[in-house]
Amino acid sequence: MTLVASRMARVKPSASGVAAMRARQLIAEGHDIISLTVGEPDFDTPAHIRVAGETAIRNGETRYTNVDGTPALKQAVARKFLRENGLSYESNQIVIGSGAKQVIFNAFLASIDDGDEVIVPAPYWVSYPDMVRLAGGEPVEVACPAEDGFKLTPERLEAAITPRTKMLVLNSPGNPSGAVYSEDELRALAAVLLRHERVGVVSDEIYEHITFGNRRHVSIAAVEPRLMNRTLVVNGVSKAYAMTGWRIGYGAGPADLIREIVKLQSQSTSSASSISQAAALAALEGEQDEVHNNCSVFERRMKIIREALNKAGLVCREPGGAFYVYADCGAFIGMKRPDGRVVETDTDFAEYLLEEAKVAVISGAAYGLSPFIRLSFALSDDRLAEAGVRILRACEGLAQHSTIYRQP
Ligand code: PLP
C-alpha cells in the first residue's frame, strides 16, 4: 500500500539540489568541504532592495496581490523588457510567479499535451526534462558538444523536430555550460523555427545580466519578432540581484498561454509574495551599479577557477556568462584511485573529488552530457583558489597512481 501517485515515478529530485545538500551536510558534520555546487550568487541582496522589502512590511503590503502580480511590478517588468530587450508587451502578456522555476513549470503544464515532445539541448538545466515529464510530455535531449560551444546548431534543431514537437527550450546564458548565443546564432535557429509553425519556444533568460567580455545577451523574441507570438520569455530577479530567497520570477508571451499560467497559479500558489514583489520592483527600477559590479567579480573568479582547472588537466572552455564552468574530465576516466577503485564515469570523478580533495562539484550526468563536471564560481576568490589547489593535487594523485598501476 502506498499513497504515492504513479506520476511521481516520472521525476527524480533535482541532482544539483541533492549534491548541494550532501555538501552542506558534510560541512555541518565538521568536514572542511569547499562546495562548488551552489546555484546562487554569494552576494547580499543590494541594500536599497532590502529596504524596499522592509518598507512594504511596514506599510502593510502583506496581503494577497492579484494572482498575476501587482500592477506596479507588471508595469516595471514591461518597462524592463522594452528598455533592455527591445520587447513590447501588454499587461495581459505578463505574469509574475514565485521564481522563474514556477513560471517554467506552469508554462509546461499549460502547454504540453500527453506525448508532446519538447526539445531540450544538452547540457541542460536539471529541471527541464523532469518538468516536461511531469506535464506528460517527452523531453527530446539533443547533445550539443563542446566543439559547438555547447550550443544548439540549426542542423541539430532541424533534425530533432518531428510532427509531435511542441516546444524548444533555450537557455542563454546557459546553466551549466555558460554558453551565450549570439544574435546570428539565434537568427539561424529562428529561421528553422519559422519553417515549423507549431513549435513554440521557452526562452529562459534568468542569467541575462551575467555575461563576460564583449558578449551581450539577446532574446530570440527580439531577434525574430515573428516568433514573439509563440515564445515565452522567462526571467527573474534571483541571479542578477542576488535575490534567490525572495522567489520572484516572471514570464512574458502570448496572452492565451499567460492566461492559462495565471489560472494554474490561481489554483496552486496564488500570487507571489507581496513583500518580495515590492522588493523586485525596487530591483528592476532602482540603480543597477551592483549588478554590473557583481558581474565583474564573477568574471574575475571565472578566470581564477578556469586557470586552475586547465592546469589540472580539466579542460574547460571560457563560459560566456552565468557563474559555472563545465569542465571536461574525460582525461581521468579509466584511471585508478589511490584506493584502487577505477574512475569509470564523471559521477565517479565527482565522488573522488569530494572524498579526496574535499571539493563538491556536480557530475555532467545530471545535465545530460558526459564526461564533464560543473563547478560554480559563486564563492570568494580565496576559497576558489584553494579549491583549485586541492583539485590539482587530487588530479595529480590520480594520474600518478594510474601510471604506477599501469606499470607491469
Ligand atoms: N533557470 C535556470 C537555468 C536556473 O539555473 C535557475 C536556478 O538555478 C532557474 C531557472 C530558477 O530561477 P528562480 O530562482 O527564479 O526560480
Side-chain angles (χ1 to χ4, degrees):
M1 147 59 191
T2 176
L3 294 178
V4 177
S6 54
R7 177 190 321 116
M8 295 317 295
R10 294 186 216 154
V11 278
K12 51 188 183 322
S14 152
S16 45
V18 171
M21 215 157 70
R22 177 146 185 241
R24 272 199 296 271
Q25 193 182 338
L26 288 169
I27 292 165
E29 286 168 11
H31 298 278
D32 175 25
I33 305 284
I34 304 179
S35 179
L36 306 186
T37 63
V38 280
E40 59 184 344
D42 55 321
F43 310 116
D44 288 332
T45 302
H48 70 281
I49 300 175
R50 282 183 279 149
V51 168
E54 286 164 11
T55 307
I57 295 174
R58 235 175 279 122
N59 289 350
E61 293 176 44
T62 52
R63 301 177 186 280
Y64 294 132
T65 73
N66 292 348
V67 172
D68 58 342
T70 63
L73 181 55
K74 288 185 65 173
Q75 282 157 19
V77 167
R79 281 193 291 270
K80 174 259 178 274
F81 275 122
L82 200 56
R83 186 176 65 238
E84 297 183 347
N85 309 102
L87 292 169
S88 174
Y89 293 106
E90 299 295 328
S91 175
N92 65 350
Q93 294 181 287
I94 294 173
V95 59
I96 310 296
S98 301
K101 197 170 200 168
Q102 187 192 27
V103 175
I104 297 169
F105 184 80
N106 286 347
F108 285 149
L109 217 52
S111 64
I112 296 171
D113 282 310
D114 283 348
D116 280 351
E117 293 175 353
V118 176
I119 297 174
V120 183
Y124 45 70
W125 180 44
V126 288
S127 295
Y128 302 134
D130 287 293
M131 286 181 178
V132 169
R133 277 188 212 103
L134 258 184
E138 284 176 30
V140 174
E141 297 179 13
V142 178
C144 303
E147 306 86 84
D148 293 345
F150 301 114
K151 291 186 234 184
L152 182 65
T153 59
E155 295 76 23
R156 288 187 207 277
L157 172 60
E158 183 73 66
I161 294 176
T162 76
R164 286 163 62 201
T165 307
K166 184 66 181 273
M167 204 74 91
L168 162 69
V169 181
L170 273 183
N171 174 212
S172 177
N175 173 9
S177 68
V180 176
Y181 286 75
S182 69
E183 202 169 325
D184 285 347
E185 287 163 341
L186 290 173
R187 196 167 287 116
L189 293 178
V192 175
L193 293 168
L194 286 176
R195 291 199 288 275
H196 300 274
E197 280 176 8
R198 287 183 53 260
V199 181
V201 182
V202 169
S203 181
D204 180 348
E205 306 181 2
I206 192 80
Y207 293 99
E208 164 176 25
H209 288 297
I210 308 170
T211 54
F212 308 135
N214 55 9
R215 296 176 195 86
R216 287 292 162 265
H217 165 80
V218 251
S219 175
I220 190 163
V223 167
E224 179 44 85
R226 283 174 291 175
L227 288 183
M228 251 190 104
N229 63 359
R230 48 175 156 137
T231 299
L232 179 75
V233 178
V234 181
N235 209 324
V237 294
S238 290
K239 316 286 178 173
Y241 302 97
M243 291 178 71
T244 47
W246 297 78
R247 310 307 304 129
I248 295 291
Y250 49 86
D256 59 345
L257 179 61
I258 296 293
R259 186 184 63 229
E260 299 307 311
I261 291 174
V262 175
K263 194 203 284 179
L264 271 174
Q265 219 162 276
S266 77
Q267 296 293 19
S268 53
T269 54
S270 297
S271 67
S273 150
S274 55
I275 298 149
S276 297
Q277 289 191 68
L281 175 63
L284 294 180
E285 305 267 272
E287 50 111 313
Q288 307 288 310
D289 288 2
E290 279 181 71
V291 176
H292 304 305
N293 289 345
N294 293 350
C295 187
S296 319
V297 172
F298 279 136
E299 184 157 5
R300 186 182 70 222
R301 293 172 176 177
M302 177 268 286
K303 288 178 180 152
I304 294 174
I305 191 70
R306 212 177 141 241
E307 197 184 307
L309 292 175
N310 285 335
K311 208 190 280 177
L314 290 159
V315 182
C316 70
R317 307 175 64 86
E318 181 173 319
F323 39 74
Y324 313 101
V325 282
Y326 203 54
D328 188 336
C329 58
F332 297 95
I333 303 298
M335 287 193 176
K336 282 238 167 192
R337 299 166 39 135
D339 63 6
R341 281 155 62 194
V342 179
V343 173
E344 281 170 359
T345 61
D346 51 14
T347 305
D348 290 348
F349 184 72
E351 184 78 24
Y352 171 69
L353 288 186
L354 184 62
E355 289 172 13
E356 185 71 21
K358 305 277 182 273
V359 174
V361 301
I362 304 178
S363 76
Y367 304 99
L369 195 75
S370 293
F372 291 90
I373 51 169
R374 188 197 79 165
L375 306 95
S376 159
F377 44 88
L379 72 168
S380 74
D381 295 22
D382 289 352
R383 289 299 270 173
L384 264 185
E386 168 67 16
V389 171
R390 291 188 192 186
I391 291 172
L392 175 62
R393 225 182 290 133
C395 288
E396 280 172 355
L398 209 52
Q400 223 169 44
H401 192 80
S402 297
T403 318
I404 295 164
Y405 173 78
R406 279 188 193 132
Q407 282 169 358

